[in-house]
Amino acid sequence: QVANVDIDKEHAAQVALMSATPNGPADKPWEQWFDAELADTSAHAKPGPYRVCFSNASVSNAWRVTGWTTMKAEVDLHPNEIASFDYADAQGNDDKQISDIRSFLNSGSCDVLIVSPNTSAALTPVVEEACKQLPVITFDRSVNTSCPVTAVRSIGGYAWGKAAADYVVANVPKGGNVLVLRTAPGLDIFETRWAAAEKVFAEADVKVIGNEFVGGDRAKAKATVVDYLSRTGHIDAVWVDLGVVSVAVAEAFQDMGLPYPVITGEDEQDYLQAWKDDGFKGIAPTYPAFQWRTAVQAALKVLKGEPVPAPEWILPQPVITEAERDAFIDPQLPPLHFATCGCESMPGYPQRWGAND
Amino acid sequence: MKALIKYNPALPLLLILLALMIYLSPLYQTGPGLMSFLQRAAPLVILTCGATFVLISGGFDLSSGSLITLVVIAGAMITRGDPAFAGLALASVVGIGLCVGMINGLAVAFLKVPSIITTLGTLLAVKGIAMAWSGGAPSSSLPENMRSLGRGRIDDVPLTGSLPYSVIALIASLAATYWLLHRTNFGRMVFMLGDNPRAAALAGVPTQRVRIACFAVSSLCAVLAGLLLGGYSGVSVDVGGDYALQAVAAAVIGGVVLLGGRGSIAGAACGALTLYAIFTVLNLVGVSQPVRLAVQGAILVLAAAMTSRRE
Amino acid sequence: MPLLQMVGISKSFGQVEVLQGIDLTCTAGTLTAICGENGAGKSTLMNILGGVFAPSAGEIYIDGQAISFTHPSEAKARGIAVIHQELNLLPHRSVADNIFLGREPVRFGMLDRRRMNRDSAAALRRLGSDIDPRTPCGALSIAEQQLVEIARALTEEARILVFDEPTAALDESETRALFGLIGELKAAGVAMLYISHRMAEIRELADRISVIKDGRRVATMAAAEASIDNVIQLMVGRALGDFFPQPASAPGGESLLSVRGGGNAQLRGIDLDVRSGEILGIAGLEGSGKAALARALAGVDPFQCGEVEAFDRLGAPRSPRQAARRGIAAIPDDRKRDGLGLSQSLRNNVGLTLRAVTNPLASATSGGRSHRRLDALLAETEVRCADFGMPVGELSGGNQQKVMFARWRAVAPRVWIVSEPTRGIDVGARAAIYRMLRGFAEAGGAVLVVSSDLMELIGLCDRIGVMAAGQLVAELPRGTSEDEIIRHAMRHDPPQVGRSQGQALSARDGDAA
Amino acid sequence: MTAMRATWHQQGIAISLTTASIVFYAFTAVVTGQFSQVSFAGFLGLFERTVALSLVAMGQAVVIAGGAIDLSVANIVSVAAVLAAYFMQNDPGNIAEATVMVIAICGSVGVLNGLLVTLLRVSPLIATLGTSLVLQGILSLSYGALQGTVPKAFQVVAYGKLGGVPVSLLSLLTIALLTAFVLQRTRTGSRLLAVGGNPRAARLAGIHGSRVTVATFAFSAVMSALAGLYLASRLGTGTPWIGRDGSYDLSSIAAAVIGGTLLSGGRISIAGTLAGVLVFAATDAIFNMLQIDPFLSQVLRGVIVIAAVASYTYRSREEAA
Ligand SMILES: Nc1ncnc2c1ncn2[C@@H]1O[C@H](COP(=O)(O)OP(=O)(O)OP(=O)(O)O)[C@@H](O)[C@H]1O
Ligand SMILES: Nc1ncnc2c1ncn2[C@@H]1O[C@H](COP(=O)(O)OP(=O)(O)OP(=O)(O)O)[C@@H](O)[C@H]1O
Ligand SMILES: O[C@@H]1[C@H](O)[C@H](O)CO[C@H]1O
Ligand SMILES: [Mg+2]
Ligand SMILES: [Mg+2]
């Protein structure tokens, strides 16, 4: 929750981590972590196989689809350790997620509970309730309590937002026009991205000509860009807090016959591909979907009593630049696949992730 | 002016908004600029014209937004990005649209489930099918040839400079829906059905068939809107969203009376253009999101109040 | 001093001046009849008295004190009760709930249902009806609903009571009960205003008669001094010749519609022939099944058994649509509810059936030809209005009824099933409709008229069938007397079993709606 | 016997929906071996899923029975939740005042809805869609401007128990009984049904329809406010999209109509409305137990909505529109 932490401190910490070196195997970033205590989990140790329960906020966007597929693949990697994997999807509804978790608790058929919270504050009470009964792991968004054994995430939204904003500032002329496209207000993951970028833009000599919520809708994004072009006549960069709309932004310029501005994105295949094909200036900070794997691995470690990074398991968060870009492109994969899924060596890749055969 | 308002309550408002747009933005002072406005407004206008059939017959169609989503997803899933399958995909989405319309119509006409409830049910089901089919994120994109309908244009056209295919589709569907509602026997039966279904049935009107046809028209318009939207901006699961309610609002602004019996295609089209012009002007003025939402809400209510004042 | 005085009352709706400077007085213990053609403004005047509309000009005095209403509740508070021309009931609520709507007795803040039921039953008994006050109103027949409306006004114990065509839907015996009651109310000092198109009633009840024409009062006279012909002349503006047209010269030709052993949930063993060139009347008490017979012949609630032959083709129409395609026209008894799209234009209403039976994608205008054809039909049917493009809801009742006839004439039917053709219709329009029905028969059509108005059947029809308990119990020749018909109609006991079944059914329908 | 028939006649829909929900729920639990779901605690969990929507749906049912419809409920729920947290600011001393303020503010939004419908004669659908947009604007401001949390003491509303039964369920039942009582046994109820069933008849009977309409919208808004307060208590805070994400607007309409409230007005069933909500809660729980893909479960939910209403409308002779 943006409001409840010391923003500047958190910001600085994330920026520092971006240039720090993580612990753990460099070829398996989902197993890496940044300097945290390794918490003793022997209290939770029990003999396998384990019954894992997962309460998911939703599968409401492409990132979550990639992650969810990866998570199921990870579960399949542990046939002997995982006896059952029960899943509840809250469909983006806090109230339902609370009921889902309570229903898991009541069922008595979970040895560990993984939660991907819909809203941090809202899920806090029920997660606290769950912590009293069994080990809890959260990932992606977190909750406002330290009771979970660990909270898996990557470095964070500030670092994400700053990386893209820094690139924008470095690549537009002085006093250039920047259009900001955002998803929706009130989700901490997006708020932190913008908070960092806002700071960068304020300190640099660029002009934020607009700050619009487009709800992840490409049509709205494209129309908004056209509206801004017609209002100001000239845009030097478009900064987005969600990569799905980036391609629509590029198309808006293409359709109007205008040269491309700087367009930031994410590690989605279609953005990487358009960036390559259309030749605009871009950058793809990532929020790696491989954390969905980490959550399962953390759960198993805890049940086996192995130490895990705690209270937060902070994963690396690569930023894809033009130089590294082509390595992440695989035309076989679906356009909305997120490249940093950490799934390349998993069984069933790439078909399981929707690749055309 | 009075006669104009009586004829079409949205028209004066639309003219004012267009004037504002032209005043505020150099783009809208050019032919291609105005064409691009029409291009973007086309899906909403077409959808509203389709919704008008159901509204005049006395019902609602809340499912059209979901159907737009399904059309876009289906286009991508069937073609797998291969232009060779565009024809198949086109035929399929038309088929899907007809099915959804028929199911809505059959449930209302034969099971007697009120259309708000029926189409709420199909809204959920159709969206669910779209999501389940794509697994939450479509695994391919729409091929270029399918996208050209929403994105392409003819250049070097006299007068307007350019002519987007969307605008051609818009004009064609306006003509078709106008003909169907105002020029055919079917259209007259739709009005009577909305005014007094009992009387219509006793006068020999095949009320169930007419009702089903209204839902089918609405769904087919949603299919076309979906093709235009998908073409305009590419595949995504978020397209469609609140279009169904926007279409109802647009129709009401254009003088279509909820619960049936009165309205016109010209009014509905003006209502939809007005609504889209409101969005555009608010963007141009650069008011912040919260204020914009509030202004939209207020204008919606005022426009509806103006319409009801007329009676 | 008169209890009620209305002075210089005017009312306009938009541009239309409906009432212009009407004066009206009414004394306690008397009944003033208000006569006038359809659309003369009678109901509008009563609505002003009842607080439904505010007058554009004029004053109302009660006991000499000037009053003005902005809401019906204020008129009620002044002791004015109005039985409106249209039924205004809540179909899902019980009879008692409807009777006490808006003024329910309460005990400890809770509705006193027992008292509501008791008092409702008592009021209905005074009208000679034994309807269970707990029945939902939607399950009642139109006549029963009308009785509920009257009972509601009675329990208001008003000082001024307005009846706006109370008997339009009532049968003979119910009407008698009502008239008995009106006598009692007179004796009790209630001032009454009474609107009816039935001149016989006026003659029987009225102490004074006021005639309204085109929104102006043209005469007020003591009933004793008035002759009916004179009143009609004042209303219509001309003398009416023969009210009923000449009967058929030769008795019926070939049978165009024949039923053998027809039956369904409400009908049993119907044997019937409707012949070319004749008008066959159907009489019967409320609940006798005469309306059900019309519905069955028109395909609305078709026969489930028996044989039906229409134009040498076997089989009954299974739906109104089939009936329409086979040249069987049906005019329903409630034109507002079952006949017209009130906010649609005259042309749309008239063209409806024609359009319904032709290609739906064919042009509805065919370059103006269609308009001209519909306009010609409207003119032939003597529909009087400002503009054929205006909404049919703005027409008077008589003209609306003519629109119904024009609609069916467009498809040139050979059989006409006509229910209550002149319910609520003024004398002038009535004569025109009778002429039209006779015209259909003379052109070789077969006409079946279902009516609760015995005088109408006797005057108009060539033969009269009498229904009782879902059966045709008699077939009487022209010239039969009223008494003779009633004797047959009462011969069978009311169909108690069928009735309660019918009610259960319709109650369920009501629920599911 | 007749009493039984009368009850069945009035509450048949409620009884059959409730029975069906519970039977299917229990059956699924047993078949999938999740016996704890059919324990006392399991059923309480099931019923707790219904609290927020039940409150909203009762308000919606009243508006519908009064001949209108309210599309602003979802955003009112959010406004109530956000304001509750903002006014309380984690201080138990603020609870009473905040509760009153939230109810008053939301109630006035309801009154505004009513006035738009009665004074400006805007169709209820459009009027409430309009207010809903305005509220959404305010909510998108609220993320930055109106933050706060509710104190632990307030969480008793959602998490407290009385004799083993959650306080929230007891309160819900009390409110439902009161509402049903007022509807069936008082003049207020009979006026409401009159205005919804036939506004003209109501007016002629001396009833002031506009006042009734305004009151129904106010009631609905207050019920949504209560749902928002409950959610704030349950979530410990107010989130601006809680109402929209719960899709309380369309769900409340569906629940009311499934439960036998007439969409065209004039008839209402509170028990049926609660049963309609239970159908949704039970399907959620059943789909969870069966591990049905959430997208597929959405398809099934759509089918259930139509089928539930069709199960009793299909025999109707009246046309539906
Ligand atoms: N609400 C209204 N708006 C516009 N015109 C109206 C309205 N109510 C009545 N009129 C018109 O006023 C005139 C008088 O109508 P009114 O109902 O008073 O006639 P009436 O004498 O009662 O006729 P009938 O014998 O058919 O009942 C008619 O022409 C009618 O169309
Ligand atoms: N839709 C229906 N379903 C079942 N029973 C009905 C239905 N309509 C009427 N009934 C019952 O059928 C019987 C005949 O009704 P019907 O309306 O034909 O009487 P009627 O005397 O012909 O009417 P009217 O007063 O219109 O002349 C009555 O007992 C009535 O309660
Ligand atoms: O939390 C996730 C991630 O932030 C992703 O980038 C977009 O979707 C959100 O749901
Ligand atoms: Mg009248
Ligand atoms: Mg009858």
Side-chain angles (χ1 to χ4, degrees), chain C residues 9 18 28 43 47 105 208 222 226 264 288 315 324 334 338 406 423 430 448:
Chain C
I9 302 285
V18 172
S43 298
N47 279 331
R208 289 165 66 78
N264 62 20
S288 62
D334 186 339
D338 297 341
R423 184 175 275 177
R430 199 181 278 233
L448 181 132

Side-chain angles (χ1 to χ4, degrees), chain C residues 42-44 85 164-165 195:
Chain C
K42 306 179 294 295
S43 298
T44 306
Q85 184 173 7
D164 196 346
E165 301 194 39
I195 299 174

Side-chain angles (χ1 to χ4, degrees), chain C residues 266 285-292 295 333 452 499 502 505, chain D residues 317:
Chain C
Q266 295 142 53
L285 301 180
E286 171 61 31
S288 62
K290 63 182 189 301
R295 289 198 301 270
D333 56 2
S452 314
R499 185 189 194 85
L505 260 179
Chain D
R317 289 166 56 95

Side-chain angles (χ1 to χ4, degrees), chain A residues 6-27:
Chain A
D6 182 339
I7 295 175
D8 290 335
K9 208 174 124 208
E10 179 64 26
H11 192 178
Q14 289 188 12
V15 172
L17 284 183
M18 289 298 277
S19 47
T21 314
N23 308 303
D27 58 335

Side-chain angles (χ1 to χ4, degrees), chain A residues 187-218:
Chain A
L187 294 173
D188 50 3
I189 215 102
F190 296 127
E191 291 291 343
T192 51
R193 290 174 187 182
W194 169 235
E198 191 175 25
K199 200 168 132 129
V200 173
F201 293 143
E203 284 163 7
D205 186 14
V206 298
K207 201 168 135 220
V208 176
I209 54 166
N211 179 345
E212 298 291 340
F213 293 105
V214 294
D217 180 340
R218 288 177 183 230

